[in-house]
């Protein structure tokens, strides 16, 4: 009996110690800054890069990140924000699907003392703690200027844009339209793809061949839309005959540039954006200043409030600088970019 009791006591002490260890670990985890991040979707190639870089940098800074994917469903994104509020996150980072539909959810988060960052896309009338993105008007200007530099003056252009619910879209359009007007180019038609659905861009080409034949160039809201546009042009034997521009520097877009079916793309240094966003999220959670006055010098009006705006400059990429900007930076591998035209691949 004495031996049995001794073993029982030892076992209980061991279990108690193990439980204490788990509680201690749980307490240590709860001490970390908690960041919730909800994405529109991961259909667009670049969002996967944003996710990976953001999570890596946040972990380096001692924070934990809970990633949610709304799959393009605004109702699902609202649920995810509510989930983050219930979990008591320190910061919520949002790549919004609809810039106007989540303001009530954001207000609830802010009322709960949670900081909110609008990542890449501004959210309307919500007074977020930070809007961080690229200079979207400059993106449009770069698209337009590349066409002009390639000889487009007094020409005709089609615009196939992203979702009208995306606040970045009108900024890109404004930059592009300004350059077109300054160079006497006529915009034949402007089309918006609901939910950034790339298949709608392809359908537009098939359904509007009269204007497609008449135009000299097609501006696409991103490279995903451009992929469907170029595919449709190829079927009509027009690929390479109509200048096509996009943004995001997706791998397939870079392949099209060296192949000659897409004129240019706008490279947005995602690592810089995502790393800076993670740094700002941690600073907001700690109640620290976002940065020096030189870094946060801008505000952007969201329709009601002037919110802090940190903008990062994009880079125009065409065949002349794709090796230096895309390949040497490690954004894409040389072998992947020149996969379909190995004869053009540089030796170094």
């Amino acid at each position: 009996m004495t031996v049995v009791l001794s073993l029982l006591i030892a076992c209980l002490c061991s279990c108690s110690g193990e439980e204490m260890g788990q509680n201690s670990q749980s307490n240590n985890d709860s001490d970390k800054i908690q960041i919730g991040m909800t994405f529109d979707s991961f259909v667009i190639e670049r969002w996967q890069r944003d996710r990976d870089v953001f999570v890596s940098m946040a972990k380096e800074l001692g924070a934990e990140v809970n990633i949610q994917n709304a799959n393009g469903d605004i109702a699902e994104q609202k649920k995810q924000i509510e989930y983050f509020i219930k979990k008591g996150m320190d910061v919520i980072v949002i790549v919004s699907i609809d810039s106007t539909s989540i303001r009530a959810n954001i207000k609830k988060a802010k009322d709960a003392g949670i900081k909110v960052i609008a990542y890449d896309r501004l959210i309307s009338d919500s007074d977020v703690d930070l809007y961080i993105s690229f200079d979207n008007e400059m993106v449009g200007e770069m698209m337009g200027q590349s066409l002009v530099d390639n000889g487009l003056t007094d020409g005709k252009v089609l615009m196939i844009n992203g979702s009208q619910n995306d606040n970045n879209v009108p900024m890109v359009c404004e930059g592009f339209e300004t350059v077109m007007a300054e160079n006497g180019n006529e915009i034949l038609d402007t089309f918006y793809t609901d939910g950034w659905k790339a298949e709608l861009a392809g359908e537009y080409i098939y359904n509007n061949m009269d204007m497609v034949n008449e135009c000299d160039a097609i501006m696409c809201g991103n490279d995903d839309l451009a992929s469907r546009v170029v595919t449709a042009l190829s079927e009509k034997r027009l690929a390479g005959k109509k200048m096509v521009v996009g943004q995001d520097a997706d791998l397939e877009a870079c392949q099209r540039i060296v192949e000659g079916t897409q004129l240019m793309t706008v490279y947005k240094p995602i690592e810089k954006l995502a790393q800076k966003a993670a740094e700002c999220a941690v600073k907001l959670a700690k109640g620290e200043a976002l940065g020096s006055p030189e870094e946060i010098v801008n505000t952007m009006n969201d329709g009601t409030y002037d919110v802090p705006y940190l903008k990062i400059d994009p880079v125009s990429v065409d065949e002349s600088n794709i090796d230096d900007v895309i390949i040497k930076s490690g954004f894409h591998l040389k072998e992947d970019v020149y996969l379909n035209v190995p004869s053009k691949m540089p030796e170094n």
Side-chain angles (χ1 to χ4, degrees), residues 32-93:
K32 289 185 177 181
I33 292 169
Q34 301 293 317
I35 302 171
M37 191 171 193
T38 170
F39 279 85
D40 173 348
S41 76
F42 292 126
V43 172
I44 296 175
E45 177 185 311
R46 65 154 291 196
W47 293 133
Q48 300 172 41
R49 289 177 177 266
D50 289 78
R51 172 198 62 198
D52 295 344
V53 174
F54 184 95
V55 170
S56 177
M57 175 56 70
K59 285 184 176 179
E60 281 186 33
L61 298 172
E64 291 190 341
V65 185
N66 185 319
I67 296 291
Q68 298 287 323
N69 176 10
N71 286 312
D73 185 340
I74 186 61
E76 182 62 26
Q77 188 160 65
K78 289 180 179 181
K79 290 178 185 177
Q80 290 169 0
I81 296 170
E82 292 296 319
Y83 167 73
F84 288 147
I85 295 171
K86 289 179 182 178
K87 292 284 287 184
M89 293 290 171
D90 298 296
V91 182
I92 299 175
V93 183

Side-chain angles (χ1 to χ4, degrees), residues 21-38:
Q22 290 175 345
N23 289 339
S24 176
Q25 180 66 40
S26 177
N27 289 337
N28 288 338
D29 288 345
S30 66
D31 289 340
K32 289 185 177 181
I33 292 169
Q34 301 293 317
I35 302 171
M37 191 171 193
T38 170

Side-chain angles (χ1 to χ4, degrees), residues 102-120:
I102 55 175
R103 64 186 69 164
N105 307 88
I106 293 175
K107 183 180 185 305
K108 187 174 179 180
K110 289 174 68 68
D111 289 344
I114 300 172
K115 302 295 184 181
V116 179
I117 294 177
Y119 186 92
D120 197 66

Side-chain angles (χ1 to χ4, degrees), residues 141-259:
E141 291 170 356
M142 286 179 169
M143 289 178 170
Q145 193 59 48
S146 70
L147 296 175
V148 172
D149 291 344
N150 203 53
L152 186 66
T153 55
D154 300 320
K156 297 180 179 181
V157 183
L158 292 175
M159 293 177 65
I160 301 179
N161 302 301
S163 170
Q164 286 185 299
N165 293 327
D166 183 338
N167 257 324
N168 289 355
V169 170
M171 289 186 276
V172 173
C173 290
E174 182 178 352
F176 182 81
E177 289 167 353
T178 297
V179 176
M180 291 298 96
E182 290 172 349
N183 292 275
N185 292 307
E186 177 188 356
I187 297 173
L188 292 176
D189 192 24
T190 300
F191 176 71
Y192 296 90
T193 55
D194 182 42
W196 285 94
K197 295 174 183 174
E199 61 269 23
L200 298 179
E203 289 175 11
Y204 177 86
I205 298 297
Y206 295 127
N207 295 333
N208 295 275
M209 283 308 302
D210 287 345
M211 281 192 293
V212 171
N213 286 319
E214 185 181 356
C215 80
D216 301 292
I218 303 173
M219 176 275 213
C220 300
N222 68 10
D223 289 335
D224 197 31
L225 302 182
S227 67
R228 296 301 184 98
V229 167
V230 172
T231 297
L233 290 175
S234 297
E235 293 180 11
K236 301 296 182 180
R237 298 184 179 181
L238 292 172
K241 297 179 181 179
K242 306 292 181 181
M243 290 181 280
V244 176
V245 297
Q247 66 165 314
D248 288 342
D250 287 354
L251 175 58
E252 289 186 6
C254 293
Q255 291 172 338
R256 290 192 294 270
I257 288 172
V258 298
E259 291 165 9

